[in-house]
Coordinates of all heavy atoms in Angstrom, one line a residue:
S1 N 91.6 39.0 129.7 CA 91.1 40.0 130.6 C 89.9 39.6 131.2 O 89.5 39.8 132.3 CB 91.0 41.3 129.8 OG 89.9 41.4 129.0
Y2 N 89.0 38.8 130.5 CA 87.7 38.4 131.0 C 88.0 37.4 132.2 O 87.4 37.5 133.2 CB 86.8 37.7 129.9 CG 85.7 36.9 130.6 CD1 84.6 37.5 131.1 CD2 85.7 35.5 130.6 CE1 83.6 36.9 131.7 CE2 84.7 34.8 131.2 CZ 83.7 35.4 131.7 OH 82.7 34.7 132.2
S3 N 88.9 36.4 131.9 CA 89.2 35.4 132.9 C 89.8 36.0 134.2 O 89.5 35.6 135.3 CB 90.0 34.3 132.4 OG 91.3 34.8 131.9
I4 N 90.7 37.0 134.1 CA 91.4 37.6 135.2 C 90.3 38.4 136.0 O 90.2 38.3 137.2 CB 92.4 38.7 134.7 CG1 93.6 37.9 134.0 CG2 93.0 39.4 135.8 CD1 94.3 37.0 134.9
T5 N 89.3 39.0 135.3 CA 88.3 39.7 136.0 C 87.4 38.8 136.8 O 87.0 39.0 137.9 CB 87.4 40.6 135.0 OG1 88.3 41.5 134.3 CG2 86.3 41.4 135.7
F6 N 87.1 37.6 136.2 CA 86.2 36.6 136.8 C 87.0 36.1 138.0 O 86.4 35.9 139.1 CB 85.9 35.5 135.7 CG 84.9 34.6 136.3 CD1 83.5 34.9 136.4 CD2 85.4 33.3 136.8 CE1 82.7 34.0 137.0 CE2 84.4 32.4 137.4 CZ 83.1 32.8 137.5
F7 N 88.3 35.8 137.9 CA 89.0 35.3 138.9 C 89.1 36.3 140.1 O 88.9 35.9 141.3 CB 90.4 34.9 138.6 CG 90.5 33.5 137.9 CD1 91.0 33.5 136.6 CD2 90.3 32.4 138.6 CE1 91.1 32.2 136.0 CE2 90.4 31.2 138.0 CZ 90.8 31.1 136.6
D8 N 89.3 37.6 139.8 CA 89.3 38.5 140.8 C 88.0 38.6 141.6 O 87.9 38.7 142.8 CB 89.5 40.0 140.2 CG 90.9 40.1 139.7 OD1 91.8 39.3 140.0 OD2 91.3 41.0 138.9
K9 N 86.9 38.6 140.9 CA 85.6 38.6 141.5 C 85.3 37.4 142.3 O 84.7 37.4 143.4 CB 84.4 38.8 140.5 CG 84.5 40.1 139.8 CD 83.4 40.4 138.8 CE 83.5 41.7 138.2 NZ 82.6 41.9 137.1
G10 N 85.8 36.2 141.8 CA 85.7 34.9 142.6 C 86.4 35.0 143.9 O 86.0 34.6 144.9
F11 N 87.6 35.6 143.8 CA 88.4 35.8 145.1 C 87.7 36.7 146.0 O 87.6 36.4 147.3 CB 89.8 36.3 144.8 CG 90.6 36.6 145.9 CD1 91.2 35.7 146.7 CD2 90.8 38.0 146.3 CE1 91.9 36.0 147.8 CE2 91.5 38.3 147.4 CZ 92.1 37.4 148.2
I12 N 87.2 37.8 145.6 CA 86.5 38.8 146.4 C 85.2 38.1 147.1 O 85.0 38.2 148.3 CB 86.1 40.0 145.6 CG1 87.4 40.8 145.3 CG2 85.1 40.8 146.4 CD1 87.2 42.0 144.3
I13 N 84.5 37.4 146.3 CA 83.3 36.6 146.8 C 83.8 35.6 147.9 O 83.1 35.6 149.0 CB 82.6 35.9 145.7 CG1 81.9 37.1 144.8 CG2 81.5 35.0 146.3 CD1 81.3 36.5 143.5
I14 N 84.8 34.8 147.6 CA 85.2 33.8 148.5 C 85.8 34.5 149.8 O 85.5 34.1 151.0 CB 86.3 32.9 147.9 CG1 85.6 32.1 146.9 CG2 87.0 32.1 149.0 CD1 86.5 31.3 145.9
F15 N 86.6 35.5 149.6 CA 87.3 36.1 150.7 C 86.4 36.8 151.7 O 86.5 36.8 152.9 CB 88.4 37.0 150.3 CG 89.3 37.6 151.3 CD1 90.3 36.7 151.8 CD2 89.2 38.8 151.8 CE1 91.2 37.2 152.8 CE2 90.1 39.3 152.8 CZ 91.0 38.4 153.3
F16 N 85.4 37.5 151.2 CA 84.5 38.3 152.0 C 83.2 37.7 152.5 O 82.6 38.1 153.4 CB 84.3 39.7 151.3 CG 85.5 40.6 151.3 CD1 86.2 40.8 150.2 CD2 86.0 41.1 152.5 CE1 87.3 41.6 150.2 CE2 87.1 41.9 152.5 CZ 87.8 42.2 151.3
T17 N 82.7 36.8 151.7 CA 81.4 36.3 151.9 C 81.3 34.8 152.3 O 80.3 34.4 152.8 CB 80.4 36.5 150.7 OG1 80.8 35.7 149.6 CG2 80.3 37.9 150.3
F18 N 82.3 34.0 151.9 CA 82.2 32.6 152.2 C 82.4 32.3 153.7 O 83.3 32.9 154.3 CB 83.3 31.9 151.4 CG 83.1 30.3 151.5 CD1 82.0 29.7 150.9 CD2 84.1 29.6 152.1 CE1 81.9 28.3 151.0 CE2 83.9 28.2 152.1 CZ 82.8 27.6 151.6
P19 N 81.6 31.6 154.3 CA 81.6 31.4 155.8 C 82.8 30.4 156.3 O 83.1 30.4 157.4 CB 80.3 30.7 156.1 CG 79.9 29.9 154.8 CD 80.4 30.8 153.8
A20 N 83.5 29.8 155.4 CA 84.6 28.9 155.7 C 85.9 29.8 155.6 O 86.0 30.6 154.7 CB 84.7 27.7 154.9
R21 N 86.8 29.5 156.5 CA 88.1 30.2 156.5 C 89.3 29.2 156.5 O 89.1 28.0 156.6 CB 88.2 31.1 157.7 CG 87.1 32.1 157.8 CD 87.4 33.3 156.9 NE 86.3 34.3 157.0 CZ 85.7 34.7 155.9 NH1 85.9 34.2 154.7 NH2 84.7 35.6 156.0
V22 N 90.5 29.7 156.4 CA 91.7 28.9 156.5 C 91.7 28.1 157.8 O 91.3 28.7 158.9 CB 93.0 29.8 156.4 CG1 94.2 28.9 156.8 CG2 93.1 30.4 155.1
G23 N 91.9 26.8 157.7 CA 91.8 25.9 158.8 C 90.5 25.2 159.0 O 90.5 24.2 159.7
D24 N 89.5 25.6 158.3 CA 88.2 24.8 158.3 C 88.3 23.6 157.5 O 89.0 23.6 156.4 CB 87.0 25.7 157.9 CG 86.7 26.9 158.8 OD1 87.1 26.8 160.0 OD2 86.0 27.8 158.4
K25 N 87.5 22.6 157.8 CA 87.4 21.4 157.0 C 86.1 21.5 156.2 O 85.0 21.8 156.8 CB 87.4 20.2 157.9 CG 87.3 18.8 157.1 CD 87.6 17.6 158.0 CE 87.7 16.4 157.3 NZ 87.8 15.2 158.0
I26 N 86.2 21.3 154.9 CA 85.1 21.4 154.0 C 84.9 20.2 153.1 O 85.9 19.4 153.0 CB 85.1 22.7 153.2 CG1 86.4 22.5 152.2 CG2 85.1 23.9 153.9 CD1 86.4 23.6 151.1
K27 N 83.8 20.1 152.4 CA 83.5 19.1 151.4 C 83.0 19.9 150.3 O 81.9 20.5 150.4 CB 82.7 18.0 151.9 CG 82.4 16.9 150.8 CD 81.7 15.7 151.3 CE 81.6 14.6 150.3 NZ 81.0 13.4 150.8
I28 N 83.6 19.7 149.1 CA 83.1 20.3 147.9 C 82.3 19.2 147.2 O 82.9 18.2 146.8 CB 84.2 20.7 146.9 CG1 85.0 21.9 147.7 CG2 83.6 21.4 145.6 CD1 86.3 22.3 147.0
L29 N 80.9 19.4 147.0 CA 80.1 18.4 146.4 C 80.2 18.5 144.8 O 79.8 19.5 144.3 CB 78.7 18.6 146.9 CG 78.5 18.6 148.4 CD1 77.1 18.8 148.8 CD2 79.0 17.3 149.0
D30 N 80.7 17.5 144.3 CA 80.8 17.4 142.8 C 80.6 16.0 142.3 O 81.5 15.5 141.7 CB 82.1 18.0 142.3 CG 82.2 18.2 140.9 OD1 81.2 18.2 140.2 OD2 83.4 18.5 140.4
G31 N 79.6 15.4 142.7 CA 79.3 14.0 142.2 C 80.4 13.0 142.7 O 80.8 13.0 143.8
D32 N 80.9 12.2 141.7 CA 82.0 11.3 142.0 C 83.3 12.0 142.3 O 84.3 11.4 142.7 CB 82.1 10.2 140.9 CG 81.0 9.3 140.8 OD1 80.2 9.2 141.9 OD2 80.7 8.8 139.7
N33 N 83.4 13.3 142.0 CA 84.7 14.0 142.2 C 84.7 15.0 143.4 O 85.4 15.9 143.4 CB 85.0 14.9 140.9 CG 85.1 14.0 139.6 OD1 85.7 13.0 139.7 ND2 84.4 14.4 138.6
S34 N 83.8 14.6 144.3 CA 83.9 15.4 145.6 C 85.2 15.3 146.3 O 85.8 14.4 146.2 CB 82.7 14.9 146.5 OG 81.4 15.1 145.9
I35 N 85.5 16.5 147.0 CA 86.7 16.7 147.6 C 86.5 17.1 149.0 O 85.6 17.8 149.4 CB 87.5 17.8 147.0 CG1 87.9 17.4 145.5 CG2 88.8 18.1 147.8 CD1 88.5 18.6 144.8
T36 N 87.1 16.4 150.0 CA 87.1 16.7 151.4 C 88.4 17.0 151.9 O 89.4 16.2 151.6 CB 86.4 15.5 152.3 OG1 85.2 15.2 151.7 CG2 86.4 15.9 153.7
G37 N 88.5 18.1 152.6 CA 89.9 18.4 153.2 C 89.8 19.7 154.0 O 88.8 20.3 154.2
E38 N 91.0 20.1 154.4 CA 91.2 21.4 155.2 C 91.7 22.4 154.3 O 92.6 22.3 153.6 CB 92.1 21.1 156.4 CG 92.3 22.3 157.3 CD 93.3 22.0 158.4 OE1 93.4 20.9 158.8 OE2 93.9 23.0 158.9
I39 N 91.1 23.7 154.5 CA 91.6 24.8 153.7 C 92.9 25.2 154.3 O 93.0 25.6 155.5 CB 90.6 26.0 153.7 CG1 89.2 25.5 153.0 CG2 91.1 27.2 153.0 CD1 88.1 26.5 153.1
K40 N 93.9 25.3 153.5 CA 95.2 25.8 154.0 C 95.5 27.2 153.6 O 96.2 27.9 154.2 CB 96.3 24.8 153.5 CG 96.4 23.4 154.2 CD 96.6 23.6 155.6 CE 96.7 22.2 156.3 NZ 96.8 22.4 157.7
E41 N 95.0 27.6 152.4 CA 95.3 28.8 151.9 C 94.2 29.3 150.8 O 93.7 28.5 150.1 CB 96.6 28.9 151.1 CG 97.1 30.3 150.7 CD 98.4 30.3 150.1 OE1 99.2 29.4 150.3 OE2 98.7 31.3 149.4
I42 N 93.8 30.5 150.9 CA 93.0 31.2 149.9 C 93.7 32.3 149.2 O 94.1 33.2 149.8 CB 91.6 31.7 150.6 CG1 90.9 30.7 151.4 CG2 90.8 32.4 149.5 CD1 89.7 31.2 152.2
S43 N 94.0 32.0 147.9 CA 94.7 33.0 147.1 C 93.8 33.6 146.0 O 92.7 33.3 145.9 CB 95.9 32.4 146.5 OG 95.6 31.4 145.5
L44 N 94.4 34.5 145.2 CA 93.7 35.1 144.2 C 93.0 34.2 143.2 O 92.0 34.5 142.7 CB 94.6 36.2 143.5 CG 94.0 37.1 142.5 CD1 92.9 37.9 143.2 CD2 95.1 38.0 141.9
F45 N 93.7 33.2 142.9 CA 93.2 32.3 141.8 C 92.7 30.9 142.2 O 92.1 30.3 141.6 CB 94.3 32.1 140.7 CG 94.7 33.3 140.0 CD1 95.9 33.9 140.3 CD2 93.8 33.9 139.1 CE1 96.2 35.1 139.7 CE2 94.1 35.1 138.5 CZ 95.4 35.6 138.7
Q46 N 93.1 30.5 143.4 CA 92.8 29.1 143.8 C 92.8 29.0 145.3 O 93.2 29.8 146.1 CB 93.8 28.1 143.3 CG 95.2 28.4 143.8 CD 96.3 27.9 142.9 OE1 96.0 27.4 141.8 NE2 97.5 27.7 143.5
I47 N 92.2 27.9 145.8 CA 92.1 27.5 147.2 C 92.9 26.3 147.3 O 92.8 25.3 146.6 CB 90.6 27.3 147.6 CG1 90.0 28.6 147.6 CG2 90.6 26.7 149.0 CD1 88.6 28.6 148.1
E48 N 93.8 26.3 148.4 CA 94.7 25.2 148.6 C 94.0 24.3 149.7 O 93.7 24.8 150.8 CB 96.0 25.5 149.1 CG 97.0 24.4 149.3 CD 98.4 24.9 149.7 OE1 98.9 25.8 149.0 OE2 98.9 24.4 150.7
I49 N 93.7 23.0 149.3 CA 93.0 22.1 150.3 C 93.9 20.9 150.5 O 94.5 20.4 149.5 CB 91.7 21.7 149.7 CG1 90.7 22.8 149.5 CG2 91.0 20.7 150.6 CD1 89.5 22.5 148.7
V50 N 94.0 20.5 151.7 CA 94.8 19.2 152.0 C 93.8 18.2 152.5 O 93.1 18.4 153.4 CB 95.9 19.5 153.1 CG1 96.7 18.2 153.5 CG2 96.8 20.6 152.6
D51 N 93.9 17.0 151.8 CA 92.9 16.0 152.1 C 93.4 15.1 153.2 O 94.6 15.3 153.7 CB 92.6 15.2 150.8 CG 93.6 14.3 150.3 OD1 94.7 14.2 150.8 OD2 93.5 13.9 149.1
E52 N 92.7 14.1 153.5 CA 93.1 13.2 154.7 C 94.3 12.4 154.4 O 95.0 11.9 155.3 CB 91.9 12.2 155.0 CG 90.7 13.0 155.6 CD 89.5 12.1 155.8 OE1 89.5 11.0 155.3 OE2 88.5 12.6 156.3
E53 N 94.7 12.1 153.1 CA 95.9 11.4 152.8 C 97.1 12.5 152.6 O 98.2 12.1 152.1 CB 95.8 10.7 151.5 CG 94.9 9.5 151.6 CD 93.4 9.8 151.5 OE1 93.1 10.7 150.7 OE2 92.6 9.2 152.3
H54 N 96.9 13.7 153.0 CA 98.0 14.7 153.0 C 98.3 15.2 151.6 O 99.3 15.7 151.3 CB 99.2 14.4 153.7 CG 98.9 14.0 155.2 ND1 98.6 15.0 156.1 CD2 98.8 12.8 155.8 CE1 98.4 14.4 157.2 NE2 98.6 13.1 157.1
N55 N 97.3 15.0 150.6 CA 97.5 15.4 149.2 C 97.1 16.8 149.2 O 96.2 17.2 149.8 CB 96.6 14.5 148.2 CG 97.0 13.1 148.2 OD1 98.2 12.8 148.0 ND2 96.1 12.3 148.3
V56 N 97.8 17.7 148.5 CA 97.5 19.0 148.2 C 96.7 19.2 147.0 O 97.1 18.8 145.9 CB 98.7 19.9 148.2 CG1 98.4 21.4 147.9 CG2 99.6 19.8 149.4
I57 N 95.5 19.8 147.2 CA 94.5 20.0 146.0 C 94.4 21.5 145.7 O 94.1 22.2 146.7 CB 93.2 19.4 146.2 CG1 93.4 17.9 146.6 CG2 92.3 19.7 145.1 CD1 92.2 17.3 147.4
L58 N 94.8 21.9 144.5 CA 94.6 23.4 144.2 C 93.3 23.4 143.5 O 93.2 22.9 142.3 CB 95.8 23.8 143.4 CG 97.1 23.7 144.1 CD1 98.2 24.1 143.1 CD2 97.2 24.5 145.3
Y59 N 92.3 24.0 144.0 CA 90.9 24.1 143.5 C 90.7 25.6 143.0 O 90.8 26.5 143.8 CB 89.9 23.7 144.6 CG 88.6 23.2 143.9 CD1 88.5 21.9 143.4 CD2 87.5 24.0 143.7 CE1 87.4 21.4 142.9 CE2 86.3 23.6 143.2 CZ 86.2 22.3 142.8 OH 85.2 21.8 142.3
P60 N 90.4 25.7 141.6 CA 90.2 27.1 141.1 C 89.0 27.8 141.8 O 87.9 27.2 142.0 CB 90.0 26.8 139.6 CG 90.4 25.5 139.3 CD 90.2 24.7 140.7
N61 N 89.2 29.1 142.0 CA 88.1 29.9 142.7 C 86.8 29.9 141.8 O 85.8 29.9 142.4 CB 88.6 31.4 142.9 CG 89.6 31.4 144.1 OD1 89.8 30.5 144.8 ND2 90.4 32.5 144.1
N62 N 87.1 30.0 140.5 CA 85.8 30.1 139.7 C 85.0 28.8 139.8 O 83.7 29.0 139.7 CB 86.1 30.4 138.2 CG 86.9 29.3 137.6 OD1 87.7 28.6 138.3 ND2 86.8 29.2 136.3
L63 N 85.5 27.7 140.1 CA 84.8 26.5 140.3 C 84.2 26.4 141.7 O 83.1 26.0 141.9 CB 85.6 25.3 140.0 CG 86.0 25.0 138.5 CD1 86.9 23.8 138.4 CD2 84.8 25.0 137.6
F64 N 85.0 26.9 142.6 CA 84.7 26.8 144.0 C 83.3 27.6 144.3 O 82.6 27.2 145.1 CB 85.8 27.5 144.9 CG 85.7 27.2 146.3 CD1 86.1 26.0 146.9 CD2 85.3 28.3 147.2 CE1 86.0 25.8 148.2 CE2 85.2 28.0 148.5 CZ 85.6 26.8 149.1
I65 N 83.1 28.8 143.6 CA 82.0 29.5 143.9 C 80.7 29.0 143.1 O 79.6 29.4 143.5 CB 82.2 31.0 143.5 CG1 82.4 31.2 142.2 CG2 83.2 31.6 144.4 CD1 82.5 32.7 141.6
Q66 N 81.0 28.0 142.3 CA 79.8 27.3 141.6 C 79.3 26.1 142.2 O 78.3 25.5 141.8 CB 80.3 27.1 140.1 CG 80.6 28.4 139.3 CD 81.1 28.0 137.9 OE1 80.9 26.9 137.4 NE2 81.8 29.0 137.3
K67 N 80.1 25.5 143.1 CA 79.8 24.2 143.6 C 79.2 24.3 145.1 O 79.5 25.1 145.8 CB 81.0 23.3 143.8 CG 81.7 23.1 142.4 CD 80.9 22.2 141.5 CE 81.6 22.0 140.1 NZ 80.8 21.3 139.2
P68 N 78.3 23.3 145.5 CA 77.9 23.4 146.9 C 79.0 23.0 147.7 O 79.8 22.1 147.5 CB 76.7 22.3 146.9 CG 76.5 22.0 145.4 CD 77.6 22.4 144.6
I69 N 79.1 23.7 148.9 CA 80.2 23.4 149.9 C 79.5 23.1 151.2 O 78.7 23.7 151.6 CB 81.1 24.7 150.1 CG1 81.6 25.3 148.8 CG2 82.2 24.4 151.1 CD1 82.5 24.3 148.0
V70 N 80.1 22.0 151.9 CA 79.7 21.7 153.2 C 80.8 21.9 154.1 O 81.9 21.5 154.0 CB 79.3 20.2 153.2 CG1 79.0 19.8 154.6 CG2 78.2 19.8 152.3
K71 N 80.5 22.8 155.1 CA 81.5 23.1 156.2 C 81.3 22.0 157.3 O 80.3 21.9 157.9 CB 81.3 24.5 156.7 CG 82.4 24.9 157.7 CD 82.1 26.3 158.1 CE 83.0 26.7 159.4 NZ 82.8 28.0 159.8
I72 N 82.4 21.2 157.5 CA 82.3 20.1 158.4 C 82.7 20.7 159.8 O 83.7 21.3 160.0 CB 83.3 19.0 158.0 CG1 82.9 18.6 156.6 CG2 83.3 17.9 159.0 CD1 83.9 17.6 155.9
K73 N 81.7 20.3 160.7 CA 82.0 20.8 162.1 C 83.2 20.1 162.7 O 83.4 18.9 162.5 CB 80.8 20.6 163.0 CG 79.7 21.5 162.6 CD 78.4 21.2 163.5 CE 77.3 22.1 163.0 NZ 76.1 21.9 164.0
K74 N 84.0 20.8 163.5 CA 85.1 20.3 164.2 C 84.6 19.4 165.4 O 83.6 19.8 166.0 CB 86.0 21.3 164.8 CG 86.7 22.1 163.6 CD 87.7 23.2 164.2 CE 88.3 23.9 163.1 NZ 89.2 24.9 163.5
E75 N 85.3 18.3 165.6 CA 84.9 17.4 166.7 C 85.3 18.0 168.0 O 86.4 18.6 168.1 CB 85.5 16.1 166.5 CG 85.1 15.3 165.3 CD 85.7 14.0 165.1 OE1 86.3 13.5 166.1 OE2 85.6 13.4 164.0
K76 N 84.4 18.0 168.9 CA 84.8 18.4 170.3 C 85.7 17.4 171.0 O 85.4 16.2 170.9 CB 83.6 18.8 171.1 CG 82.8 19.9 170.6 CD 81.6 20.2 171.5 CE 80.8 21.4 170.9 NZ 79.6 21.6 171.7
V77 N 86.7 17.8 171.6 CA 87.6 16.9 172.4 C 87.2 17.0 173.9 O 87.1 18.1 174.5 CB 89.1 17.3 172.2 CG1 90.0 16.5 173.0 CG2 89.5 17.3 170.8
V78 N 86.8 15.9 174.4 CA 86.4 15.8 175.7 C 87.4 15.1 176.5 O 88.0 14.1 176.2 CB 85.0 14.9 175.8 CG1 84.6 14.8 177.3 CG2 83.9 15.5 174.9
T79 N 87.8 15.9 177.6 CA 88.9 15.3 178.5 C 88.2 15.1 179.9 O 87.3 15.8 180.3 CB 90.0 16.4 178.7 OG1 89.5 17.5 179.2 CG2 90.7 16.6 177.4
E80 N 88.6 14.0 180.4 CA 88.1 13.6 181.7 C 89.2 13.9 182.8 O 90.3 13.5 182.6 CB 87.6 12.2 181.8 CG 86.4 11.9 181.0 CD 85.9 10.5 180.9 OE1 86.2 9.8 182.0 OE2 85.4 10.0 180.0
S81 N 88.9 14.4 183.9 CA 89.8 14.5 185.0 C 89.4 13.6 186.1 O 88.3 13.3 186.3 CB 89.9 15.9 185.5 OG 88.6 16.3 186.0
I82 N 90.4 13.0 186.7 CA 90.2 12.0 187.8 C 90.3 12.7 189.1 O 91.1 13.5 189.4 CB 91.2 10.9 187.6 CG1 91.0 10.2 186.3 CG2 91.1 9.9 188.8 CD1 91.9 9.1 185.9

């Protein structure tokens, strides 16, 4: 019951207060185990992240709210007309 309550609170914190949303590219800072990828889904217990090699990473919400997160800005696409 403790872990379920903690997960529920983690989900609520992430869902309502975290500035990154589905589709954003982020980096989770965790020393040599840092993860960079795009958020594909935010669920009750975990966040689904897809990295540059198209690997799916399921990252637990309780760890997600404890680690520093960098939201990576999207590159602007510049088009030139002739």
Side-chain angles (χ1 to χ4, degrees):
S1 69
Y2 167 74
S3 61
I4 296 297
T5 302
F6 187 76
F7 279 117
D8 290 346
K9 289 179 182 173
F11 172 75
I12 290 169
I13 290 169
I14 291 167
F15 190 76
F16 289 108
T17 65
F18 189 66
R21 300 284 178 235
V22 171
D24 288 345
K25 188 171 182 180
I26 62 165
K27 181 172 186 175
I28 301 171
L29 303 176
D30 191 13
D32 292 337
N33 299 315
S34 294
I35 297 170
T36 301
E38 182 180 335
I39 298 174
K40 290 295 183 182
E41 184 178 341
I42 300 173
S43 67
L44 186 59
F45 296 106
Q46 62 201 14
I47 294 184
E48 183 178 312
I49 301 168
V50 177
D51 67 11
E52 293 173 352
E53 290 84 35
H54 304 287
N55 297 310
V56 176
I57 301 158
L58 301 175
Y59 204 82
N61 289 345
N62 64 332
L63 295 178
F64 193 79
I65 62 175
Q66 296 175 17
K67 303 292 180 188
I69 308 295
V70 175
K71 184 176 173 184
I72 301 170
K73 293 183 180 181
K74 294 182 181 182
E75 296 179 17
K76 293 183 180 179
V77 177
V78 178
T79 57
E80 295 181 24
S81 57
I82 298 177

